Amino acid sequence: MFWLLVLHVALLFLALVVAADDDSHEGTEDAGHSYRIMPCGNSMECGVITVPLDWLNTSVGFTEIQFTRSPASGERKGTIFVDLGIGLMGSWATPSANMLSPLGQELHDRVGDEYDVLMWAARGKYYDEELATGYGLFNRSCSDADQALRSPDPLRCFDDESQRYALFSDALKDSIADGHWTYTREWLQAPDEADARRWYRAQEGTIARCLEQPSARAQKYVGTAATVRDLIAMADTFDGPGSPVNFWGVGHGSLIGSYLMTMFPERVGRVVLDDPVDPVTYNELPSYQTWQRDVTAAHDQIFQLEAHCLADPETCRFASSDEFIAPWELGVAMGYLRTDLIGWRNDVAVDRANSRYEQMFHSISPFFAFTDDQDDFRKHTQMISEPRGKPLGPLTVGTMPIACGDALYDHDPDAPELKNVESMLTADQWTHSLPLLVARVFPSYRYLCHLWPIRAVERVKIEPPPSSLAGRVLVVMRRSDPWNYFRVDETAARALWPEAPLVSELPWGPREYPFRHAPCNLEIIRGFFVSGEVPDDTAAASRRCQEDPDHMFKRSPHDTRHHGRHTAPH
């Protein structure tokens, strides 16, 4: 499951903490960026590299970026940098992007004799102690290690739960008096338009409090442009100044690849955009419009599943699984979508009153032998109604500083359209429109950029990739599924990256890890990174992977590297 990934991260950081001090070492490569490394288990190395806090004004000072890498085991050709995108989806952020978890490790197992595989903590992503505690994944030692390494400092808006309680209880006092809301259980009935407007005031108050914190001053130094410059610094340091940058970005991690191609096209080695998001609308489209699109796309995924399950329950499944969907899988997916997209939480009684969702649940539950009452709709609604450990989520605004800092449109608190935005976000047409996802909807913080005044010191308008990058970019897309609701469709992908080969409708890997690829997909990715090869007939390759997810595209010893494929320049 998705949360197994988080456990991998916690164990990784525990290994970092217990590593012996005398096993660590320091260095400064030709690029001049100092770094520290220590072993952290399973042949991996954990460390930090020093970079300017503001790349456009180095007199501001320096910060440290945390990374983990799995070194090449043979003759080394360079590094493949990986970003899984987790942490820019909703308000939850990872302890760092140092996740040589099944996805990165499997890639390393295929190319590790030639390339290091490195993941790093992009600016603005950090460990959410409160959420992890709610899932039983919090480890104090891991958090302490992360605190020493992450930078800039996370923006913590409240010192403790009592401060947050006071703000929300005041903003929602009329909803409390009406019996609609309580701090410990949130919405006791589906909120109406008046409730939504009070909630909007609570979000404004939270953001205002965030901006009063000392760490708010550093938020202008986060953003994807700064992250790309950190990436270039790591490539210069570990692979040599001016070396080609090989990058694999999954989901929202693909944004780093898009920024890389715009900012440093001459440095692009090979880039894989995996289930990519649209980089143009990401920073040009007002965030509330992005939310409208995203939440509708997510609901459509559940709507299609509902139609399928009711029509033929025996073949009801997610695209990410070849097996019938189990109620617990539906619950995990719904909890993920709600945490990612929805800014408030229902009391379980509200979800139990959703007869349409209950009908879908019962259409699949008879086909499974359950233990621990997993077929109990009451227990199922408990799972989806509480995606976070505590009622109102983290004491921060999550990755809002990244998403809003990247926005190309400036913040204007006096703009007349802001009232229209408020009306739209709280209107019945939205708060009543997505019955399968949640009875009423309201966006999470990263979609409220009209309320967030801080923009990154460097913002970048994404340009079409230059023709010189032909053969250096590969786009891969798995079947549409709740876990990748955010990805572009094939038409948009071909318009955004016209020179890039596109392999679409690929199968998913084991359902226990929703970001994982089937072996056949990884073989395509491996071939591209190792030699720049991609199948000449990408549609045929997609069909082959669908028919045989374990297919490895084996070739005879007499085949050459160019046989049946076209090769990217090295």
Side-chain angles (χ1 to χ4, degrees):
M1 292 185 297
F2 170 79
W3 298 109
L4 288 179
L5 177 141
V6 185
L7 184 56
H8 276 284
V9 180
L11 293 175
L12 174 60
F13 274 91
L14 182 59
L16 173 60
V17 172
V18 301
D21 289 342
D22 56 1
D23 286 336
S24 65
H25 64 272
E26 301 182 1
T28 302
E29 300 291 346
D30 293 339
H33 299 286
S34 62
Y35 65 92
R36 304 192 308 275
I37 291 178
M38 66 177 68
C40 52
N42 297 323
S43 301
M44 291 186 290
E45 298 174 338
C46 298
V48 291
I49 182 171
T50 301
V51 296
L53 186 60
D54 182 354
W55 280 99
L56 304 182
N57 180 10
T58 57
S59 66
V60 171
F62 294 86
T63 187
E64 290 185 325
I65 301 299
Q66 186 183 13
F67 64 88
T68 300
R69 67 181 177 188
S70 191
S73 56
E75 183 177 354
R76 184 179 179 279
K77 291 184 177 179
T79 303
I80 297 175
F81 297 90
V82 183
D83 190 294
L84 299 182
I86 305 167
L88 196 52
M89 297 181 299
S91 60
W92 184 73
T94 65
S96 78
N98 303 343
M99 294 179 290
L100 284 185
S101 51
L103 183 63
Q105 192 61 54
E106 190 153 356
L107 174 64
H108 183 268
D109 289 344
R110 297 178 186 277
V111 302
D113 57 335
E114 298 174 307
Y115 290 92
D116 297 345
V117 176
L118 186 149
M119 301 184 186
W120 78 102
R123 299 181 184 214
K125 297 183 182 180
Y126 55 88
Y127 193 39
D128 183 338
E129 173 183 329
E130 182 175 6
L131 179 59
T133 300
Y135 281 98
L137 298 172
F138 176 62
N139 180 291
R140 170 60 64 182
S141 297
C142 298
S143 178
D144 289 344
D146 188 45
Q147 176 66 42
L149 296 171
R150 66 192 181 201
S151 188
D153 288 339
L155 181 58
R156 192 177 182 91
C157 306
F158 302 95
D159 294 333
D160 52 41
E161 195 76 20
S162 64
Q163 290 181 349
R164 190 171 61 181
Y165 171 82
L167 187 149
F168 275 80
S169 294
D170 181 64
L172 295 164
K173 58 181 180 293
D174 290 335
S175 295
I176 296 172
D178 293 340
H180 294 182
W181 188 87
T182 175
Y183 188 78
T184 56
R185 292 160 61 194
E186 289 206 21
W187 295 112
L188 302 175
Q189 66 179 47
D192 57 27
E193 188 165 337
D195 292 324
R197 288 186 180 277
R198 295 163 190 153
W199 184 266
Y200 191 88
R201 300 277 87 80
Q203 305 309 292
E204 288 181 320
T206 297
I207 292 170
R209 184 178 178 86
C210 292
L211 296 172
E212 295 172 354
Q213 307 307 310
S215 56
R217 296 192 299 269
Q219 300 309 305
K220 61 184 178 181
Y221 303 122
V222 305
T224 306
T227 291
V228 168
R229 292 190 183 275
D230 296 337
L231 168 61
I232 293 295
M234 288 186 288
D236 285 343
T237 299
F238 300 130
D239 295 341
S243 57
V245 178
N246 301 307
F247 175 75
W248 180 13
V250 184
H252 287 82
S254 68
L255 292 168
I256 297 174
S258 294
Y259 273 67
L260 173 66
M261 289 186 282
T262 293
M263 296 173 65
F264 298 98
E266 75 284 357
R267 295 296 301 274
V268 172
R270 291 172 186 136
V271 170
V272 172
L273 304 177
D274 185 345
D275 281 340
V277 298
D278 186 334
V280 176
T281 59
Y282 163 72
N283 62 11
E284 293 187 10
L285 193 69
S287 60
Y288 69 90
Q289 294 182 19
T290 301
W291 175 72
Q292 289 177 311
R293 182 193 62 189
D294 286 354
V295 77
T296 300
H299 187 263
D300 286 347
Q301 288 291 329
I302 304 300
F303 179 80
Q304 292 170 21
L305 180 70
E306 176 198 44
H308 189 185
C309 292
L310 293 178
D312 188 6
E314 295 188 37
T315 61
C316 178
R317 69 193 65 187
F318 284 136
S320 55
S321 176
D322 290 329
E323 301 179 9
F324 301 153
I325 185 173
W328 70 265
E329 291 179 283
L330 178 62
V332 170
M334 290 293 291
Y336 157 66
L337 292 176
R338 289 185 175 197
T339 301
D340 195 26
L341 293 164
I342 310 302
W344 57 34
R345 181 177 65 86
N346 288 335
D347 179 69
V348 293
V350 177
D351 288 315
R352 289 172 188 161
N354 188 337
S355 59
R356 181 173 172 181
Y357 185 81
E358 183 176 11
Q359 181 183 19
M360 179 174 66
F361 172 86
H362 287 304
S363 72
I364 62 176
S365 60
F367 295 93
F368 296 87
F370 296 103
T371 59
D372 300 327
D373 296 322
Q374 288 181 340
D375 57 335
D376 183 353
F377 186 64
R378 293 177 61 86
K379 192 168 186 176
H380 179 82
T381 52
Q382 187 81 22
M383 175 189 294
I384 67 174
S385 298
E386 297 185 356
R388 299 185 176 99
K390 294 185 179 180
L392 297 178
L395 298 173
T396 74
V397 288
T399 54
M400 188 182 200
I402 301 177
C404 299
D406 283 341
L408 295 181
Y409 50 90
D410 292 329
H411 175 260
D412 181 1
D414 299 320
E417 62 265 22
L418 287 188
K419 273 295 180 184
N420 296 332
V421 175
E422 177 183 346
S423 298
M424 183 278 297
L425 293 178
T426 59
D428 279 351
Q429 65 173 341
W430 275 106
T431 58
H432 292 229
S433 62
L434 304 173
L436 285 174
L437 187 59
V438 66
R440 304 286 191 272
V441 294
F442 190 92
S444 52
Y445 283 115
R446 69 183 170 110
Y447 294 108
L448 300 176
C449 293
H450 62 287
L451 299 179
W452 184 257
I454 301 175
R455 296 295 182 261
V457 293
E458 182 178 13
R459 292 178 284 171
V460 173
K461 179 179 174 63
I462 299 300
E463 302 291 347
S467 58
S468 61
L469 295 185
R472 296 184 182 272
V473 182
L474 171 65
V475 180
V476 295
M477 299 197 308
R478 285 163 289 189
R479 297 167 183 158
S480 183
D481 188 85
W483 294 103
N484 66 352
Y485 72 89
F486 43 75
R487 73 156 172 80
V488 298
D489 59 26
E490 286 191 44
T491 301
R494 296 186 188 282
L496 287 165
W497 305 287
E499 302 285 345
L502 169 63
V503 189
S504 61
E505 291 299 305
L506 289 169
W508 289 72
R511 68 186 183 186
E512 288 82 1
Y513 187 61
F515 292 94
R516 196 171 186 176
H517 276 282
C520 182
N521 310 357
L522 284 174
E523 179 66 9
I524 294 174
I525 295 171
R526 179 210 64 83
F528 180 70
F529 275 128
V530 170
S531 60
E533 299 174 345
V534 295
D536 281 332
D537 189 339
T538 56
S542 175
R543 289 193 298 271
R544 174 63 66 89
C545 286
Q546 293 175 41
E547 296 166 359
D548 181 10
D550 293 325
H551 181 71
M552 301 300 290
F553 289 103
K554 293 180 179 179
R555 296 175 294 163
S556 73
H558 301 291
D559 288 342
T560 68
R561 62 177 290 192
H562 299 284
H563 180 71
R565 303 182 179 214
H566 54 271
T567 304
H570 191 61

